[in-house]
């Protein structure tokens, strides 16, 4: 269409929408606007531009309002009003259809109750957008064929709902690779329940390369088994990063060939932390006066000491050093006390020990790791009931969890 013809068309159409010639059929339609949009934007005034914009963006199919979606999430999916509003914003549902009802019916058929369906949709609202027969049902059938049914199947998907987002082309090879290591379906299922993550194209290759690296390092199959089942996400990271963490573990003093269990524990901690988290935890210990050697020794003896929160570490060390008079090396060389509860274990037991020392019933305080790792019954027999005649208030001090 020429420029002059286009101009005449626009003028005529503008008259139509302004009401001057309402009997004339509008000449601008969606196809016309799409073909001549660049020229129209130069010619049409602001009112026309608004009209063109609304015309080009309109959807021929009626869409459901956000309130309709929220009502559906409340009435059909069992969500609370607050969760329905939040969840409704996460899904772009143009209109409600029988597909949503079919998805809910399918889940119920496979044993999901209303509370599990609500939890699933809250975590992964895109379930309502998945084709129930082409996409949803095959995944349910696959895990059903592995021995999961009824409430067990529902619990599995509720624990790891992100499986719904993954393709079976990714799930099946990973499942088979894990079974090659773990051997039993129930163990693979349990491992996947703990492996809340997405499924990526490279996971199977990463798994094979990382397992191969552990075997080359001399780690026995039993410890490889533990590594996969306890922290499956860690074993699926890229081989480049995994190799780097294995090297870091060895540099810190862990030797896979001589103490593979300890090596696996140290590696598990490194796998669970980012580099920045590791550096922050090092700073916590250094602020408390620990040397690099003391930190390394503590980590080798108790790898989990690097997982404890800054607050927990600081409060326990401060109490033992400043309140009880232990020296820092007592804790660094025996870090298991850091895993104990300050209020439930450390303070009440230290209260008893300090009273026994003050009364001359024992010569000196025992090491923190000794009293911290005792069972409650053993501690009571050895340090409370044994001296109840000489110090009748011991048990009250222990129960009161206060220092004398």
């Amino acid at each position: 269409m020429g420029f002059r013809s286009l101009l005449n068309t626009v003028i005529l159409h503008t008259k139509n929408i302004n009401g001057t010639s309402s009997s004339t059929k509008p000449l601008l339609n969606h196809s016309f606007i799409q073909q001549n949009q660049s020229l129209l934007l130069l010619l049409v005034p602001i009112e026309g531009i608004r009209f063109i914009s609304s015309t080009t963006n309109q959807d021929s199919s009626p869409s459901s309002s956000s309130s309709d979606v929220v009502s559906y999430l409340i009435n059909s999916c069992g969500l609370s009003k607050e969760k329905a509003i939040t969840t409704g914003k996460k899904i772009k549902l143009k209109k409600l259809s029988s597909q949503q009802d079919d998805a809910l019916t399918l889940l119920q058929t496979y044993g999901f109750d209303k509370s599990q369906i609500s939890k699933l949709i809250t975590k992964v609202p895109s379930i309502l957008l998945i084709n129930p027969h082409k996409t949803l049902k095959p995944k349910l059938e696959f895990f059903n064929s592995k021995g999961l049914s009824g409430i067990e199947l529902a619990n599995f998907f509720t624990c790891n709902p992100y499986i719904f987002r993954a393709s079976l082309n990714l799930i099946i090879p990973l499942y088979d690779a894990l079974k090659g290591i773990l051997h039993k379906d129930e163990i693979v299922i349990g491992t996947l329940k703990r492996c809340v993550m997405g499924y990526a194209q490279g996971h199977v290759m990463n798994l094979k390369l990382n397992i191969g690296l552990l075997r080359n390092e001399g780690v026995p199959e039993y410890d490889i088994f533990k590594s996969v089942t306890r922290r499956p996400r860690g074993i699926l990271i890229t081989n480049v990063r995994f190799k780097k963490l294995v090297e870091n573990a060895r540099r810190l003093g862990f030797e896979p060939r001589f103490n593979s269990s300890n090596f696996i524990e140290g590696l598990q901690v490194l796998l669970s932390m980012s580099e920045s988290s590791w550096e922050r935890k090092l700073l916590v210990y250094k602020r408390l006066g620990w040397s690099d050697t003391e930190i390394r020794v503590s980590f080798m003896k108790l790898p989990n000491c690097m997982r404890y929160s800054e607050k927990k570490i600081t409060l326990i060390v401060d109490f033992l050093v400043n309140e009880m008079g232990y020296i820092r090396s007592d804790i660094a060389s025996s870090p298991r006390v850091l895993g104990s509860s300050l209020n439930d274990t450390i303070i009440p037991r230290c209260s008893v020990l300090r009273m026994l020392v003050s009364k001359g019933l024992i010569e000196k305080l025992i090491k923190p790791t000794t009293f911290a790792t005792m069972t409650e019954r053993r501690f009571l027999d050895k340090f409370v009931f044994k001296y109840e005649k000489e110090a009748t208030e011991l048990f009250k001090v222990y129960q009161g969890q206060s220092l004398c």
Side-chain angles (χ1 to χ4, degrees):
M1 178 178 288
F3 185 85
R4 185 175 296 278
S5 299
L6 178 63
L7 178 60
N8 290 334
T9 301
V10 170
I11 292 171
L12 176 59
H13 188 79
T14 304
K15 288 181 180 179
N16 286 338
I17 63 177
N18 286 334
T20 37
S21 181
S22 58
S23 62
T24 306
K25 184 178 180 180
L27 299 179
L28 289 184
N29 56 34
H30 181 74
S31 176
F32 176 88
I33 292 171
Q34 288 292 324
Q35 295 172 14
N36 301 280
Q37 191 170 19
S38 58
L39 286 173
L40 284 168
L41 292 175
L42 295 174
L43 295 173
V44 184
I46 293 175
E47 289 79 5
I49 291 175
R50 289 199 190 102
F51 175 77
I52 291 170
S53 176
S54 63
T55 305
T56 56
N57 289 332
Q58 69 182 2
D59 191 342
S60 58
S61 61
S63 60
S64 301
S65 66
S66 59
S67 61
D68 290 335
V69 174
V70 169
S71 296
Y72 183 83
L73 292 172
I74 294 172
N75 298 325
S76 298
C77 304
L79 274 66
S80 66
K81 184 176 180 180
E82 292 180 358
K83 287 187 177 180
I85 292 172
T86 303
T87 303
K89 292 177 181 178
K90 296 178 182 178
I91 53 175
K92 296 179 180 178
L93 193 60
K94 288 186 177 181
K95 65 175 182 175
L96 293 167
S97 68
S98 60
Q99 176 173 304
Q100 285 76 53
D101 291 333
D102 290 346
L104 297 181
T105 300
L106 184 65
L107 291 173
Q108 290 170 349
T109 301
Y110 277 86
F112 290 74
D113 60 30
K114 288 187 177 180
S115 65
Q116 290 167 326
I117 290 174
S118 298
K119 188 181 293 185
L120 274 175
I121 292 173
T122 302
K123 289 182 177 180
V124 190
S126 57
I127 288 175
L128 293 174
L129 306 178
I130 294 175
N131 186 303
H133 302 292
K134 291 183 178 180
T135 306
L136 190 56
K137 187 176 181 179
K139 292 173 186 174
L140 293 168
E141 287 184 337
F142 173 75
F143 285 101
N144 186 242
S145 72
K146 301 303 178 182
L148 285 176
S149 60
I151 191 169
E152 289 182 352
L153 180 68
N155 285 336
F156 173 72
F157 278 97
T158 304
C159 289
N160 195 351
Y162 305 100
I163 291 178
F164 282 122
R165 292 178 178 171
S167 165
L168 271 179
N169 292 332
L170 296 176
I171 294 172
I172 293 175
L174 179 59
Y175 188 98
D176 292 340
L178 285 170
K179 189 172 180 181
I181 300 164
L182 306 178
H183 307 299
K184 295 182 179 180
D185 284 316
E186 57 265 32
I187 300 175
V188 177
I189 293 294
T191 300
L192 289 175
K193 281 179 72 174
R194 290 188 291 276
C195 190
V196 181
M197 58 165 201
Y199 289 74
Q201 192 69 43
H203 279 166
V204 174
M205 182 58 68
N206 292 338
L207 176 66
K208 292 179 179 179
L209 290 173
N210 295 339
I211 293 297
L213 176 59
L214 292 178
R215 286 172 176 157
N216 289 337
E217 289 288 338
V219 178
E221 292 299 313
Y222 175 73
D223 286 315
I224 290 176
F225 180 94
K226 286 195 300 184
S227 181
V228 175
T229 54
R230 288 180 181 178
R231 188 163 290 278
R233 290 185 65 178
I235 207 74
L236 298 177
I237 64 173
T238 64
N239 183 245
V240 172
R241 182 164 177 246
F242 191 83
K243 189 180 296 184
K244 181 181 178 181
L245 292 175
V246 168
E247 291 171 355
N248 288 346
R250 297 193 67 167
R251 192 178 67 253
L252 289 166
F254 295 96
E255 270 300 331
R257 292 185 185 275
F258 300 110
N259 192 341
S260 59
S261 294
N262 189 239
F263 166 78
I264 288 296
E265 287 184 25
L267 182 61
Q268 292 286 306
V269 172
L270 293 173
L271 286 168
S272 70
M273 302 175 71
S274 65
E275 289 186 19
S276 58
S277 296
W278 175 264
E279 292 298 327
R280 285 197 302 271
K281 207 55 63 74
L282 289 177
L283 287 175
V284 173
Y285 284 103
K286 288 180 178 180
R287 282 199 298 267
L288 293 169
W290 294 30
S291 66
D292 289 335
T293 300
E294 287 174 326
I295 295 173
R296 185 176 64 82
V297 169
S298 296
F299 181 54
M300 286 188 63
K301 289 191 173 184
L302 184 70
N304 276 333
C305 72
M306 298 301 284
R307 282 181 175 159
Y308 303 140
S309 69
E310 178 179 351
K311 182 179 179 181
K312 178 181 177 67
I313 295 167
T314 303
L315 287 174
I316 290 176
V317 173
D318 179 69
F319 176 80
L320 291 175
V321 173
N322 298 322
E323 294 290 331
M324 294 301 299
Y326 287 104
I327 59 175
R328 188 184 64 246
S329 60
D330 288 334
I331 306 167
S333 62
S334 304
R336 291 195 178 277
V337 68
L338 296 174
S340 302
S341 167
L342 179 63
N343 293 322
D344 296 338
T345 301
I346 297 174
I347 290 178
R349 294 187 182 188
C350 281
S351 301
V352 169
L353 293 173
R354 197 154 107 168
M355 175 173 280
L356 291 175
V357 171
S358 69
K359 290 181 176 292
L361 296 173
I362 61 174
E363 186 177 341
K364 61 180 180 179
L365 295 172
I366 62 174
K367 289 183 178 181
T369 193
T370 303
F371 73 72
T373 55
M374 283 182 174
T375 63
E376 183 174 30
R377 183 67 196 181
R378 177 163 171 72
F379 182 84
L380 288 171
D381 287 342
K382 189 173 180 64
F383 295 105
V384 178
F385 301 145
K386 182 179 179 179
Y387 301 103
E388 59 185 353
K389 290 183 179 179
E390 295 89 341
T392 56
E393 66 272 39
L394 269 179
F395 191 67
K396 289 183 178 179
V397 169
Y398 180 78
Q399 285 185 313
Q401 301 180 4
S402 60
L403 291 172
C404 297

